Amino acid sequence: MADQLNNEGAAGLIPEPVIVKTERRWFLAMAAMLGVMLAVIVLTGIGQMLHPLSDVETIDPATLHLQGEFVESNLGSALEPDGSITVRIIAEQYMFVPHCAVVPASTPVRFRLTSADVTHGFFVQSTNTNAMVVPGYVTNVRTSFESPGTYQMPCDEFCGFGHHAMAARVVVVPKDQFKNLRPDERMNCGTQ
Amino acid sequence: MKLENGPRLHNPWGFIVVAVVSATVVIAFGLGFLLLPRYQEPRAPFSTKDAVYHALGFHIHGKAFNTMQPPPKVPTYIAWTESTIRQATIGDRKSGEFIATNCTACHGEKGLSTQPWIPSLAGLDRLVLYKQLDDFRSGTRLSGPMSAIAQSLTSQQYADVSAYFASLPGLPENRGERTPRPHSSYRNRDPVQRLIYAGDPKRGIAACASCHGPGGYRIGAPALAKQNELYLEQQLQAFALGTRANDMDMPMRTIASALTESEIRALARAYANENANGP
Ligand SMILES: [Cu+2]
């Protein structure tokens, strides 16, 4: 009896068509909000060419210096047969090695990084790169630099006591000033 | 029972939902497995099978790389694997004390060296001692007297003598005591203290203390406090020039070559005159 009265009372206060209309309005508002948020994600993703790494490449972090592509003589910039550049860097507590890379402008650049100890972050100022460097895996990131200059490359993943000082640089030189490397030659700021 | 009268068959929603979901799945697979993998790797024209493999996370573009590597240069044959760490820490202190009678002439009674160019060994980490001895033997660290001595010992004897020297009181063993130090910041006015405790991010120099202590620890990094000043200075110069190149993954060569001559001298002095609690 009491329920009935309440129902009748509520129905009496707000007529059902009004309730339905309000619900529909709020539903549309929520759908629009969701739509905007999804669009922001998708559009920034496409616009800034952000995409997750798609490969899983494993590597033993304890023996980087003994074998494979991250031995110290193979670090730095390498020229590929198609004219693009591959830069190999080790991230370790608390530095990048080499801590200054040289690449030519307006050329596809592929960064290949791996960690010797804990998870570090790879990020080059004003590019679309931003990835974690996880021990045991190779981080493979492609980008290119349009204008010459010095780009900061701080570790953006807290990695311990000395993290705040872990920062490297990428020096982008005009394409015609970049040394024509032999296939087995590697370069960084120190060897230039 | 007449099927056409069943309420479900007249309801189109079931069909619509199934159609929308399957269309989404098909489009997503087409995008994710066929289209995007090709777009992401422009230099490796994929077959359909390769594109699917790539999207699943298998590494298949290796062949697109320049595989010509310069001749490899090995900084040290030690790798910090579990078995190496076990091998380096099973030493017997008693036999080590006996072996150490060959060392005291240079490294001092009780491992505290009195000659400024010879390092003290007392209290150094076992892993550090073991690694340096192995490097002297393999020639990745060059030194006149030490290579011959290291070649006359076995790996087991390295572990024994390391256990002995590590147990002696002397240099503060670098165990990575994790308390931050007061005033260890960029606000410290002394530039050498700043380098030791805060590093120099602009030049990519990490704080020495973050690997050598006090406060931080990195495997294989020797304690520096109270070490001989001349020895520290010579080692830093050797790292900077590359004449000492046995640091795994190059931390010390990277740092030392970024330091100036006067910073090297000042750092060596600060560490040599440090007390157990830090400079
Ligand atoms: Cu880091």
Side-chain angles (χ1 to χ4, degrees):
Chain A
M1 187 63 180
D3 283 349
Q4 218 177 343
L5 267 180
N6 275 347
N7 283 345
E8 273 169 13
L13 272 177
I14 307 169
E16 193 171 318
V18 176
I19 293 179
V20 169
K21 232 172 107 188
T22 320
E23 278 183 345
R24 186 163 296 156
R25 220 173 27 238
W26 277 108
F27 171 77
L28 285 177
M30 263 157 34
M33 268 152 65
L34 260 180
V36 168
M37 284 192 271
L38 284 177
V40 166
I41 294 172
V42 172
L43 291 180
T44 49
I46 294 174
Q48 301 182 7
M49 295 202 293
L50 308 173
H51 48 77
L53 311 178
S54 47
D55 272 351
V56 179
E57 292 176 64
T58 53
I59 192 163
D60 178 5
T63 56
L64 297 178
H65 61 293
L66 293 178
Q67 84 235 10
E69 62 174 299
F70 290 97
V71 295
E72 60 180 64
S73 44
N74 201 36
L75 299 177
S77 307
L79 182 64
E80 302 292 343
D82 65 357
S84 68
I85 297 292
T86 300
V87 186
R88 291 188 181 80
I89 296 176
I90 295 181
E92 63 188 88
Q93 284 173 323
Y94 298 96
M95 64 193 63
F96 293 97
V97 175
H99 69 325
C100 178
V102 193
V103 300
S106 319
T107 307
V109 177
R110 177 193 296 276
F111 284 95
R112 285 175 69 72
L113 290 94
T114 192
S115 164
D117 34 52
V118 300
T119 299
H120 299 277
F122 168 65
F123 165 70
V124 186
Q125 169 203 347
S126 46
T127 67
N128 63 338
T129 59
N130 192 348
M132 289 207 293
V133 186
V134 184
Y137 296 90
V138 178
T139 300
N140 183 64
V141 178
R142 289 182 306 111
T143 188
S144 70
F145 299 85
E146 292 324 312
S147 40
T150 300
Y151 295 70
Q152 298 301 324
M153 182 182 141
C155 171
D156 63 352
E157 188 81 42
F158 180 75
C159 58
F161 189 111
H163 165 71
H164 60 274
M166 181 166 172
R169 276 164 300 144
V170 179
V171 174
V172 180
V173 298
K175 201 166 178 170
D176 50 345
Q177 283 171 31
F178 190 79
K179 192 178 167 200
N180 192 13
L181 296 170
R182 292 188 315 274
D184 67 345
E185 197 177 358
R186 301 293 179 262
M187 188 166 90
N188 58 53
C189 300
T191 60
Q192 205 174 7
Chain B
M1 206 192 185
K2 275 192 269 169
L3 278 174
E4 313 89 82
N5 287 349
R8 282 205 193 143
L9 287 183
H10 290 292
N11 183 347
W13 282 106
F15 174 76
I16 292 177
V17 166
V18 170
V20 167
V21 169
S22 12
T24 312
V25 168
V26 168
I27 293 173
F29 268 68
L31 278 177
F33 282 96
L34 300 173
L35 203 70
L36 286 181
R38 287 173 203 240
Y39 152 78
Q40 284 191 334
E41 282 297 328
R43 291 205 278 126
F46 287 163
S47 70
T48 309
K49 186 177 128 240
D50 283 353
V52 173
Y53 266 54
H54 185 71
L56 286 172
F58 294 106
H59 176 51
I60 49 144
H61 57 53
K63 291 205 184 58
F65 287 118
N66 162 9
T67 44
M68 264 183 83
Q69 286 196 8
K73 199 200 140 291
V74 173
T76 171
Y77 289 93
I78 293 285
W80 295 123
T81 57
E82 260 177 64
S83 59
T84 309
I85 293 174
R86 199 177 321 113
Q87 167 64 37
T89 46
I90 50 164
D92 173 33
R93 201 186 156 278
K94 275 268 146 52
S95 1
E97 187 169 0
F98 178 68
I99 301 163
T101 50
N102 299 312
C103 322
T104 45
C106 296
H107 288 285
E109 210 55 54
K110 300 277 172 207
L112 289 172
S113 158
T114 47
Q115 278 121 312
W117 67 93
I118 298 183
S120 293
L121 302 180
L124 277 183
D125 188 20
R126 278 188 288 186
L127 298 180
V128 168
L129 294 164
Y130 184 89
K131 175 184 181 287
Q132 298 305 326
L133 286 168
D134 194 85
D135 288 353
F136 284 128
R137 168 170 59 189
S138 65
T140 49
R141 179 171 174 189
L142 298 171
S143 150
M146 283 311 300
S147 334
I149 290 162
Q151 272 159 13
S152 69
L153 300 175
T154 65
S155 293
Q156 180 58 45
Q157 286 171 319
Y158 294 169
D160 294 343
V161 77
S162 302
Y164 170 68
F165 280 119
S167 70
L168 296 178
L171 312 181
E173 189 171 355
N174 181 14
R175 281 256 172 74
E177 153 229 339
R178 300 268 170 200
T179 36
R181 318 229 124 223
H183 315 301
S184 58
S185 77
Y186 301 110
R187 285 193 296 274
N188 196 317
R189 244 178 265 121
D190 180 354
V192 177
Q193 300 293 309
R194 263 205 317 265
L195 269 180
I196 292 178
Y197 287 114
D200 186 351
K202 280 202 200 109
R203 288 187 287 164
I205 299 175
C208 314
S210 59
C211 294
H212 289 283
Y217 169 73
R218 164 156 161 162
I219 192 165
L224 303 177
K226 297 209 270 180
Q227 187 58 278
N228 288 335
E229 179 176 338
L230 183 66
Y231 172 73
L232 292 178
E233 191 182 321
Q234 284 173 345
Q235 296 306 309
L236 283 169
Q237 274 157 355
F239 279 127
L241 291 173
T243 46
R244 177 171 172 188
N246 67 329
D247 49 336
M248 187 185 298
D249 302 325
M250 307 172 74
M252 282 315 297
R253 275 172 284 168
T254 307
I255 288 183
S257 56
L259 295 170
T260 65
E261 272 289 318
S262 58
E263 279 171 338
I264 286 181
R265 273 196 302 278
L267 283 164
R269 191 173 326 116
Y271 264 115
N273 297 322
E274 190 177 346
N275 57 39
N277 299 318

